[in-house]
Amino acid sequence: GQARQSPIQSNLMLKLIRAGYSPTLSRAILERMPQELDAGESVRWVMGVLERNIKTDTTGNTLEAEGGVFAMVGSTGVGKTTTAAKLAGLCARTHGANSVGLITLDTYRVGAHEQLRAYGKMLGVVAHLAHDRAALKDLLGLLSNKKMVLIDTTGLAPRDPRKREMMDLLDLPEVKRLLVLNASGHGDTLDEVVTSFKQKNQQQVIFSKVDEAVKIGPAIDAAVRHQLVLRGITTGQRVPEDWEVANAAKLVAMSMRSTGQSPYD
């Protein structure tokens, strides 16, 4: 009935859901769409609404220009260590290798410290290992003269009981948390991760593995609904080249590209 009554709206609803956006967000947007728009105008209107609702740092400083202490948090295997290395590389390229500090808290994963140390060696930066809160505080004191200090943490599933312990460890006034989200993840999974890692002040986020995502609609959807601030995206394995500043218009355009026939439609 609705398809006959407002075919443009129904087609757009289908397009958004096929792009990976949730029916919740799609409905909220389309309910406000002016009725008099034709098919082309309505697509542009929807894309404009999505762009305006993605919070990015395009107006402010990039992460490497802003500097400070950043902890990479998130689930296992989302690319936290590689993201930390990319940011270290960008900062080293702009301000020199002496401007960067690297710390890892990942004592669970085999070779985690070695991986960060190898990246550090490549950039001419020493990677330090902190076992507990006292060691982390000491290292932060030691590296306080650096432009940027990056903390690589253990990847933990949202329901992992050790997550609380890790978050308490990072609960220091100077530490800003960057949630690394796998852009190719399933919508419900991303939603659970965002909810589980939520903090009192505004959550800053990085989309990783954008190059692997068939649909980035679910990641954008989570960012819009949870009012996340997108600080950058990673688009491959190369350090530090595969890094981009988040551009809302580009991301929305990428998400709305049709991927052909999907067996999940």
Side-chain angles (χ1 to χ4, degrees):
Q2 200 197 347
R4 275 200 303 275
Q5 215 176 336
S6 44
I8 290 175
Q9 207 165 344
S10 298
N11 285 338
L12 266 175
M13 184 76 172
L14 197 60
K15 189 174 172 66
L16 285 166
I17 289 170
R18 279 189 173 147
Y21 291 96
S22 66
T24 310
L25 183 70
S26 307
R27 212 171 278 126
I29 292 171
L30 293 173
E31 275 170 2
R32 291 169 177 78
M33 191 174 79
Q35 292 296 317
E36 66 277 4
L37 302 180
D38 67 25
E41 288 167 345
S42 57
V43 172
R44 283 191 291 277
W45 185 88
V46 166
M47 287 172 79
V49 170
L50 285 167
E51 280 168 36
R52 285 193 297 280
N53 282 283
I54 299 173
K55 291 178 161 45
T56 62
D57 60 354
T58 39
T59 47
N61 279 333
T62 56
L63 284 168
E64 68 274 16
E66 180 187 316
V69 181
F70 294 100
M72 307 290 143
V73 297
S75 304
T76 48
V78 294
K80 291 184 297 298
T81 308
T82 313
T83 302
K86 284 174 186 175
L87 283 169
L90 289 168
C91 191
R93 201 156 62 180
T94 318
H95 306 283
N98 286 338
S99 65
V100 189
L102 285 176
I103 301 172
T104 182
L105 298 177
D106 194 346
T107 50
Y108 293 116
R109 194 163 50 95
V110 176
H113 184 215
E114 282 68 28
Q115 188 188 359
L116 196 66
R117 211 163 46 196
Y119 279 135
K121 210 172 184 177
M122 208 164 83
L123 303 164
V125 180
V126 179
H128 305 271
L129 177 64
H131 283 282
D132 54 23
R133 194 181 168 95
L136 178 62
K137 276 182 153 170
D138 289 347
L139 281 171
L140 288 175
L142 189 73
L143 302 169
S144 59
N145 62 331
K146 304 284 186 191
K147 169 81 177 166
M148 194 181 214
V149 177
L150 296 153
I151 304 168
D152 184 27
T153 67
T154 310
L156 294 168
R159 288 185 286 262
D160 194 312
R162 295 172 304 184
K163 191 176 80 34
R164 183 71 266 138
E165 192 188 314
M166 169 66 77
M167 288 312 175
D168 291 343
L169 186 65
L170 294 171
D171 199 10
L172 296 165
E174 69 269 39
V175 177
K176 292 177 255 189
R177 290 180 210 162
L178 285 173
L179 175 61
V180 182
L181 270 188
N182 178 358
S184 62
H186 183 277
D188 285 330
T189 307
L190 294 174
D191 212 67
E192 187 178 36
V193 170
V194 172
T195 307
S196 129
F197 282 94
K198 222 167 195 162
Q199 53 187 53
K200 288 186 284 288
N201 47 2
Q202 210 161 33
Q203 178 71 69
Q204 302 189 52
V205 70
I206 288 168
F207 284 170
S208 65
K209 309 191 184 214
V210 170
D211 54 313
E212 294 176 24
V214 177
K215 294 177 178 181
I216 60 162
I220 294 174
D221 189 285
V224 170
R225 278 184 301 101
H226 292 281
Q227 303 279 286
L228 308 174
V229 180
L230 190 52
R231 299 301 309 266
I233 62 172
T234 74
T235 55
Q237 290 295 308
R238 290 176 308 162
V239 174
E241 294 86 353
D242 292 333
W243 169 272
E244 284 179 26
V245 174
N247 179 319
K250 194 174 171 183
L251 284 167
V252 171
M254 198 193 294
S255 76
M256 295 296 268
R257 264 185 232 134
S258 68
T259 49
Q261 204 54 46
S262 159
Y264 292 94
D265 271 355

